[in-house]
Amino acid sequence: MLRPLHALLLSCLLHAPLGWSADGPDCSRAFTLALHEHGQLYASPSDSGIDRDIADELIRRSGCKVTVTLIQRARIWQLIESGALDFSLSGISNAERDKFAGFAWYFSNKYYLLVRRDAEVAKISDFARNRELQLGAIRGFRYSATANALVDQLAETQRVSYASGLEPLYQLLQARRIQGMIIEPFDYPAIESDKIREISQILEFGDAPVPHGLIMSKKSLSTSEQDKWRALIRAMRADGSTRRIFEKYFPAELARTLTEFKD
């Protein structure tokens, strides 16, 4: 016959939510996670990409019920801040975002300026000096320090054209309505297309790689629960799962560079 304490513990285990463990996230409610359309991070037509794979692995490890949706990036940040959305992926922090979001890093990358060849831009400062040149950017996106400085400087004089995603910016670039746009490694397949490669060149900003990670709403997740989700991301990095996901989309050495960093 079970002692009362043992019986209580057994009852708790038998009736715990799927995926429950003493150290794991609290799965007593369903969660929401939003992806955004962005190159190899996520493509909605095929419902595939790095962030889709990261989300699937995170859900599997947590054992929690998580509803995954597609939302524009600018809207994602608004929902995270209000607490109406629990998670998103591949987010970067800044002072403003740190007020309402926690992060769990799983990759780090540099940013580059994709610029039309006929704009005659040899270095980043050339773009800023020529008042005839227009920059394209995605609403709700922030980049590395120098890239952010360029966007902010040009925005003050209405020299930034905003779009909801990459594809509209590529179209504007080809139509000469913008002369440059900020890119990262996830955009490489598109810029390797003949239409883009023939008219453009890539310039480096020279900034250090920027950590990207799981975004967690501070309004909907307590600090202790954020730590539990952060531990899952760290475990994915530690056992090589994150790197293997990136290797599906990048050469092995680039995948290693993107996923092996100090946070």
Side-chain angles (χ1 to χ4, degrees):
M1 184 174 182
L2 288 173
R3 295 177 181 177
L5 179 59
H6 290 173
L8 178 61
L9 290 173
L10 178 60
S11 176
C12 288
L13 289 171
L14 290 175
H15 295 91
L18 179 64
W20 180 92
S21 73
D23 299 323
D26 178 4
C27 296
S28 59
R29 71 173 177 91
F31 295 94
T32 54
L33 184 152
L35 302 173
H36 69 289
E37 193 100 32
H38 191 85
Q40 290 173 295
L41 287 177
Y42 184 67
S44 59
S46 60
D47 188 26
S48 64
I50 291 168
D51 278 355
R52 174 82 250 194
D53 293 347
I54 292 289
D56 289 345
E57 181 64 12
L58 190 61
I59 294 167
R60 185 189 71 79
R61 291 185 183 225
S62 72
C64 297
K65 177 177 175 55
V66 181
T67 300
V68 180
T69 57
L70 174 65
I71 302 177
Q72 291 183 0
R73 192 49 141 180
R75 181 60 176 156
I76 284 175
W77 288 114
Q78 294 172 351
L79 294 173
I80 289 284
E81 183 173 11
S82 71
L85 178 67
D86 297 305
F87 304 109
S88 188
L89 290 165
S90 60
I92 66 175
S93 69
N94 59 29
E96 183 61 31
R97 291 173 178 175
D98 286 342
K99 296 175 183 177
F100 60 82
F103 298 87
W105 312 122
Y106 59 93
F107 73 92
S108 183
N109 69 257
K110 293 185 176 183
Y111 288 95
Y112 306 86
L113 180 67
L114 180 71
V115 61
R116 286 188 60 96
R117 294 183 187 276
D118 56 16
E120 298 181 352
V121 172
K123 54 185 182 294
I124 302 295
S125 57
D126 293 341
F127 198 100
R129 277 197 294 266
N130 188 338
R131 296 183 180 181
E132 300 300 316
L133 303 183
Q134 193 81 2
L135 183 72
I138 299 175
R139 291 186 190 90
F141 267 49
R142 296 302 282 169
Y143 311 95
S144 60
T146 306
N148 286 336
L150 178 65
V151 172
D152 294 344
Q153 176 186 350
L154 299 185
E156 290 179 358
T157 54
Q158 289 75 54
R159 289 177 55 194
V160 179
S161 296
Y162 292 98
S164 60
L166 286 169
E167 191 56 39
L169 292 181
Y170 293 137
Q171 294 172 5
L172 291 175
L173 190 75
Q174 293 177 72
R176 292 188 172 88
R177 292 177 59 187
I178 62 172
Q179 287 70 45
M181 55 186 285
I182 297 170
I183 61 168
E184 51 193 321
F186 312 102
D187 312 331
Y188 288 171
I191 63 179
E192 282 300 310
S193 69
D194 291 340
K195 290 181 179 179
I196 301 297
R197 188 177 65 249
E198 290 172 357
I199 66 169
S200 65
Q201 61 178 328
I202 297 174
L203 301 178
E204 290 193 32
F205 279 104
D207 294 328
V210 177
H212 294 58
L214 173 71
I215 310 167
M216 300 174 282
S217 172
K218 288 183 176 180
K219 201 157 192 176
S220 68
L221 294 160
S222 68
T223 301
S224 60
E225 285 302 307
Q226 291 175 49
D227 288 341
K228 293 175 182 179
W229 289 94
R230 195 172 286 114
L232 292 179
I233 291 290
R234 287 185 180 132
M236 289 168 58
R237 288 180 58 198
D239 67 16
S241 297
T242 301
R243 177 174 50 79
R244 286 190 291 274
I245 288 173
F246 275 70
E247 286 176 347
K248 292 172 56 179
Y249 302 89
F250 293 111
E253 181 57 25
L254 180 53
R256 184 194 65 78
T257 299
L258 290 169
T259 58
E260 294 183 8
F261 59 95
K262 292 183 179 181
D263 56 0

